[in-house]
Amino acid sequence: MVVAVNMTAMKYEQAENPLAESFDPDQLITAWRNMANEQVMFPMDMSTIPVRIDHCRQLFVDNYLIADTEHVTRRTHEPQRHPDNPIVRSAEENIGNGIAIGFVLQFDEPPCFRMWYVSDPKHHLREDEGDLIRYMVCYATSDDGIHWDKPNLDMYTVPGTEQRNIVLPYGTLQGLFYEPEEPDAQKRFKALICVEARLPDRGPHTIPEGYYLHTSPDGIHWQGDLSRYKIAGLESTRRVRRGVVTYLDKKMIPYPNNGIGDSSIFWSDTIRGKYICDVKFLLPGKLRCRGIMESDDLIHWTRPVPTFFGREGQNQIYGHTGFAYQGIYIGMRYVYVVERTEHHSNNIELDCSRDAKVWTRVAAGEPFMGFNPRHDTWDASKVRPFSILEVGDEIWIYYGGKPTALETENPDLPKSHHSDNAIGLATLKRDRFVSIQARDQVGMLQTRPLTFRGTRLHVNADVADGGELKVAVVNRDGQVVPDYGAVQCDTVRGDGIDLPVTWNGGAGLDALQGRSVGLRFELRHADLFSFWID
C-alpha cells in the first residue's frame, strides 16, 4: 500500500534555507523506511573478519556475529503476560482517571520496586495561576514487583481526583534516572517532564509545551523550573523565525520538525554512560516516526538522527523505547496499525543496536507482543512497554494498555478487564527475545572468527525431545579444528538458560587460547538463544 502525503510544507521549508542541500521530498518516506533495514545499513560482508567478544552473553538478534547459516530461521518469542494483569489500575471509576506511561526502578533496600506513573485527568485547573495544565505524576511501591501499594503521601490535591499518591501535580513523566553517585544529594533522582499549560477555552499557552528538568532527593519531593524547557515540544503548525511566530496549514508538518513529540522517551545508556532521548517525529501527513539523540547532562543534546518509520502500508511508529542488555541494546517499537481501529491500536516489534545510534529491525514484521485476535483481554489491541528490568533469571517488561471498542463491546471480555489505561507485566527467561531455530532438518549457524578470553562455552537453548545441539570449532578457513568437531562434541539436550558445551567427555576451550576461531552450531528440533565464553 502506498502512503499518500502532502510534501508542500517540506518544499517550502527547504526553499527558505539556502545553506541546506536539497533532496527529493517524494523519496523521504522510502529513505526513512529503509533506515532500519540491516542489509541497507551494513553493506559489507563481514563473515571472514574477526570480532572480539567479552564475557557477555551473545544474542542472535541481528547478523553481526553470523558468517553462514543453513536450514534455520530466526524466531521471535513472546513474553508471558501475568495472569493477574492489569497489576496497577485506577481505583477510581467513571472519571476517566486512568494510568498511562510509567517507570519502574529496582532497589536493594525496601521497597525494592518503585513505580512512577502518569495519571489523568488530562486537564485540570491551577487555581493560583488560572490556567489548565495536563496530567499528573503518581507513585507506587511493591516488595515483589507484582502487588503494588499507593502510599497516602497527601502532598497535592488535584481537582477531579481523590488520589493521594501524587508526587507532581502536572505533566507526563517521559524519563526517570536514579544516580546514587550524584554528589548533590538533592539531585540523585532526575526526571524529564513533558509539561503544557494554557488558558481555558483553548487560550494561549502559559507554559509552552516542552520537556522540563526536575530533580529530587528521594523520588517523591520534586523541584523543577517551568520558566524554560530543556527541549521544545513539537508544535507541528507553529514556527518561530527571527522572533516572528507564524502558523502553517494544519495539514502541513514542517520539515525539519520544530521540536520533539509528546511520546518521546528518555532512558539511560549504562554501557556508554549517556542519556538517550528516543524522539517522536512527524513527517508530512502526520506520519509518526522515531529518531534518537544523546546527552551527557540532560541539557546539551546531539542532533537527532532518524531510526524508524513504518515498515509497510500505512503503519506508523507510535513509540519506541530501548535498554542496555548484555553489551548491546534491545528496543521495542509500538507499531501503530492505522486501519485496525480509531484508538491508536498497536502491537510490539523488536529491534536492536550495537552502538545506540544505528538501529535495525529484528525479525521484521513478526510481533514480539502481538494483538489478541479474540479481543477478550484488556490489552488485546494496545500494548506500550515502558520499563524493562532484569529480575533474577528473567526479563520483566512493564507496559501500559487499554481496551478499545473492539474489546469493550465484546461480551467475552471479563468484567475485571474493563479498564481505563492500566499497567501490566510480561516476563520471559533471560536472553530469550529471539532464537535461531531448526526443525526436522539439521540446521547450521557458523559465527565469524571470534577473539575471546575464557575456556568454557555455554549456551542458552531449548532442545526438544528427540532433538540435539552440537558445536564444532573451525579455523579462519572454515576447517574443523582437530578434536573440536561436532563428532567429538558432547551432545547438548534439554531446556536450560545455562547449558555447558564440552568435547570428548568434558574438554573446554583451553587449547584454543589466543586464536580467532569460529563456532559452528548444528541443531535439530532446537532453539538457540545465546552463547557465551567465560
Side-chain angles (χ1 to χ4, degrees), residues 298-364:
L298 295 174
I299 298 172
H300 306 89
W301 293 89
T302 61
R303 293 200 297 178
V305 295
T307 52
F308 296 107
F309 186 81
R311 177 173 168 266
E312 59 185 12
Q314 297 188 54
N315 292 352
Q316 302 178 32
I317 308 303
Y318 201 88
H320 180 267
T321 190
F323 68 109
Y325 182 80
Q326 292 298 310
I328 62 172
Y329 304 89
I330 303 293
M332 299 182 188
R333 298 188 312 288
Y334 313 173
V335 181
Y336 169 29
V337 182
V338 176
E339 66 270 18
R340 187 175 173 88
T341 71
E342 71 277 16
H343 297 290
H344 295 170
S345 293
N346 70 277
N347 60 14
I348 302 301
E349 293 183 14
L350 284 176
D351 46 75
C352 68
S353 176
R354 296 278 168 173
D355 59 8
K357 298 177 181 179
V358 177
W359 291 77
T360 55
R361 292 182 285 262
V362 175

Side-chain angles (χ1 to χ4, degrees), residues 213-408:
L213 180 62
H214 289 62
T215 58
S216 170
D218 54 11
I220 298 174
H221 303 86
W222 291 90
Q223 296 291 326
D225 180 6
L226 297 180
S227 65
R228 183 71 183 181
Y229 47 66
K230 298 302 180 188
I231 307 175
L234 174 57
E235 299 179 78
S236 58
T237 64
R238 184 176 185 268
R239 186 181 63 184
V240 181
R241 191 165 185 261
R242 298 175 185 172
V244 177
V245 178
T246 58
Y247 291 88
L248 301 173
D249 186 303
K250 289 185 177 181
K251 296 182 180 179
M252 303 297 186
I253 302 295
Y255 191 90
N257 286 184
N258 52 21
I260 67 175
D262 57 1
S263 65
S264 300
I265 297 176
F266 299 80
W267 51 275
S268 179
D269 177 354
T270 56
I271 298 173
R272 298 183 303 132
K274 302 283 187 180
Y275 300 103
I276 301 294
C277 177
D278 196 290
V279 181
K280 172 187 175 180
F281 286 125
L282 292 176
L283 295 189
K286 201 175 182 180
L287 303 176
R288 298 165 177 84
C289 49
R290 305 301 286 194
I292 205 151
M293 60 185 185
E294 62 184 43
S295 172
D296 293 317
D297 56 11
L298 295 174
I299 298 172
H300 306 89
W301 293 89
T302 61
R303 293 200 297 178
V305 295
T307 52
F308 296 107
F309 186 81
R311 177 173 168 266
E312 59 185 12
Q314 297 188 54
N315 292 352
Q316 302 178 32
I317 308 303
Y318 201 88
H320 180 267
T321 190
F323 68 109
Y325 182 80
Q326 292 298 310
I328 62 172
Y329 304 89
I330 303 293
M332 299 182 188
R333 298 188 312 288
Y334 313 173
V335 181
Y336 169 29
V337 182
V338 176
E339 66 270 18
R340 187 175 173 88
T341 71
E342 71 277 16
H343 297 290
H344 295 170
S345 293
N346 70 277
N347 60 14
I348 302 301
E349 293 183 14
L350 284 176
D351 46 75
C352 68
S353 176
R354 296 278 168 173
D355 59 8
K357 298 177 181 179
V358 177
W359 291 77
T360 55
R361 292 182 285 262
V362 175
E366 188 173 333
F368 176 63
M369 298 179 72
F371 293 121
N372 171 4
R374 299 183 305 277
H375 301 290
D376 58 359
T377 56
W378 68 288
D379 54 358
S381 296
K382 198 172 185 180
V383 179
R384 296 176 182 175
F386 55 77
S387 283
I388 300 96
L389 305 179
E390 293 187 64
V391 182
D393 288 332
E394 292 185 328
I395 306 297
W396 286 22
I397 302 166
Y398 290 93
Y399 65 95
K402 179 183 179 179
T404 69
L406 293 174
E407 287 76 50
T408 58

Side-chain angles (χ1 to χ4, degrees), residues 37-336:
N37 185 317
E38 188 175 359
Q39 292 194 88
V40 172
M41 298 307 296
F42 299 101
M44 179 176 168
D45 180 357
M46 301 286 287
S47 59
T48 63
I49 298 177
V51 57
R52 189 183 304 277
I53 62 172
D54 56 20
H55 297 316
C56 289
R57 300 190 292 276
Q58 307 297 318
L59 279 63
F60 295 104
V61 289
D62 60 7
N63 296 324
Y64 175 75
L65 295 171
I66 299 173
D68 193 15
T69 61
E70 187 176 50
H71 304 312
V72 295
T73 58
R74 180 180 280 120
R75 179 194 166 202
T76 299
H77 293 259
E78 288 210 26
Q80 181 70 40
R81 303 189 197 195
H82 198 277
D84 291 341
N85 280 342
I87 59 171
V88 181
R89 60 194 300 169
S90 174
E92 301 168 287
E93 304 293 340
N94 302 320
I95 63 169
N97 202 337
I99 294 173
I101 186 173
F103 289 86
V104 178
L105 298 180
Q106 283 181 274
F107 294 83
D108 293 332
E109 68 279 357
C112 296
F113 294 84
R114 305 175 199 179
M115 179 186 294
W116 294 256
Y117 62 87
V118 176
S119 186
D120 286 340
K122 290 184 177 180
H123 292 88
H124 55 88
L125 184 69
R126 292 197 302 169
E127 294 182 357
D128 293 342
E129 305 294 337
D131 57 4
L132 295 173
I133 200 162
R134 300 175 70 189
Y135 302 107
M136 58 189 178
V137 180
C138 297
Y139 178 68
T141 62
S142 173
D143 293 325
D144 59 8
I146 299 170
H147 304 91
W148 291 86
D149 296 316
K150 300 174 183 177
N152 184 1
L153 303 174
D154 207 22
M155 295 169 56
Y156 299 101
T157 299
V158 170
T161 177
E162 297 180 0
Q163 294 186 79
R164 291 295 177 264
N165 61 331
I166 303 167
V167 294
L168 265 180
Y170 56 79
T172 61
L173 177 66
Q174 303 295 132
L176 178 68
F177 308 94
Y178 172 56
E179 300 172 350
E181 305 304 320
E182 162 66 55
D184 187 343
Q186 298 301 306
K187 297 180 178 180
R188 289 182 177 163
F189 287 83
K190 299 178 176 67
L192 270 299
I193 310 293
C194 185
V195 183
E196 176 196 19
R198 63 195 317 156
L199 294 176
D201 300 321
R202 303 292 294 177
H205 279 103
T206 53
I207 300 176
E209 181 177 313
Y211 290 79
Y212 295 79
L213 180 62
H214 289 62
T215 58
S216 170
D218 54 11
I220 298 174
H221 303 86
W222 291 90
Q223 296 291 326
D225 180 6
L226 297 180
S227 65
R228 183 71 183 181
Y229 47 66
K230 298 302 180 188
I231 307 175
L234 174 57
E235 299 179 78
S236 58
T237 64
R238 184 176 185 268
R239 186 181 63 184
V240 181
R241 191 165 185 261
R242 298 175 185 172
V244 177
V245 178
T246 58
Y247 291 88
L248 301 173
D249 186 303
K250 289 185 177 181
K251 296 182 180 179
M252 303 297 186
I253 302 295
Y255 191 90
N257 286 184
N258 52 21
I260 67 175
D262 57 1
S263 65
S264 300
I265 297 176
F266 299 80
W267 51 275
S268 179
D269 177 354
T270 56
I271 298 173
R272 298 183 303 132
K274 302 283 187 180
Y275 300 103
I276 301 294
C277 177
D278 196 290
V279 181
K280 172 187 175 180
F281 286 125
L282 292 176
L283 295 189
K286 201 175 182 180
L287 303 176
R288 298 165 177 84
C289 49
R290 305 301 286 194
I292 205 151
M293 60 185 185
E294 62 184 43
S295 172
D296 293 317
D297 56 11
L298 295 174
I299 298 172
H300 306 89
W301 293 89
T302 61
R303 293 200 297 178
V305 295
T307 52
F308 296 107
F309 186 81
R311 177 173 168 266
E312 59 185 12
Q314 297 188 54
N315 292 352
Q316 302 178 32
I317 308 303
Y318 201 88
H320 180 267
T321 190
F323 68 109
Y325 182 80
Q326 292 298 310
I328 62 172
Y329 304 89
I330 303 293
M332 299 182 188
R333 298 188 312 288
Y334 313 173
V335 181
Y336 169 29

